[in-house]
Amino acid sequence: KPHIHLQIQISLFGDDDRLIVAKDVTRLHQLEQMRRDFVGNVSHEMRTPLTVISGYLETMVDNADDLPPKWRRAIITMAQQSSRMEALITDLILLSKIETGEQTINDALTDVNDLIGQICHDAQVLSGDKHHEFEIAINDQRLLRGDESQLRSAFSNLIFNAVKYTPAGGRITVSWSTDRDGAHLSVRDTGIGIDPVHIPRLTERFYRADPSRHQETGGTGLGLAIVKHVLLNHDGKLEIRSHIGEGSEFICHFPRERLAENPL
Ligand code: ADP
């Protein structure tokens, strides 16, 4: 079915004069859809050959002692880079799926307490030698209506970022609270912080506050874009607060309608 997309702008003058401008943005929507499809298709096509390459490289790395010494370094590097590329492709495919919002499951109930518990367990493994201190505070009204796998991606991106951008010994606080406005998931760290000039653009694909750092942190640059689209699919919003050198806080706000009564 062909759809027409209109962008409508209403300006009010005085008490009852208004100017209504309608712009046909159908073509723009089609182009945007084509871009999404293209990125999704290319990523899919690249995944299979890459899986084969990574598979062979991993086998070689597992048997590194059998490799000629002059190739060892090169093969280990190739294996690391191909696993980065796999992570990138996985995120690209995920992003192109959730960007349309069409496949979002909106009526499943997710127990935020269980979800956060599992993610923080994995985050502790990622933290490794950095020995971050984790603090988790979750209130009783913890059933959220939505797509569990999308919510898992969003929350784990925020919590893993807190680990990546916080030096050894720092504290990571994850809290879930509810009030009249809805539910709020806050991920706070005592890490490197973000210069305020970057904050408005952080959820753009591949935007990085410090491009020189992304090699060492090993992210795909798509994490916050994924978070933003997951929240859009759940009528939510992302708020970012940060002070350079002091730490950051990322808050996901969900409307009240997303909360379910606990069956207990
Ligand atoms: P990346 O894979 O680079 O981490 P993201 O989309 O997850 O990509 O994040 C975008 C950028 O936002 C990061 O490159 C980093 O500069 C900044 N950032 C995200 N989370 C934090 C955080 N907790 N502390 C400091 N900077 C952060």
Side-chain angles (χ1 to χ4, degrees), residues 157-158 161-162 164-166 189 191-194 202 204 207-210 214 217-225 242 248 250:
N157 271 308
L158 294 179
N161 274 354
K164 286 190 316 196
Y165 298 104
T166 302
D189 64 55
I192 61 170
I194 305 158
L202 282 187
E204 289 173 20
Y207 188 89
R208 283 164 167 131
D210 182 359
H214 81 265
T217 58
T220 63
L222 294 172
L224 292 180
S242 188
S248 313
F250 290 76

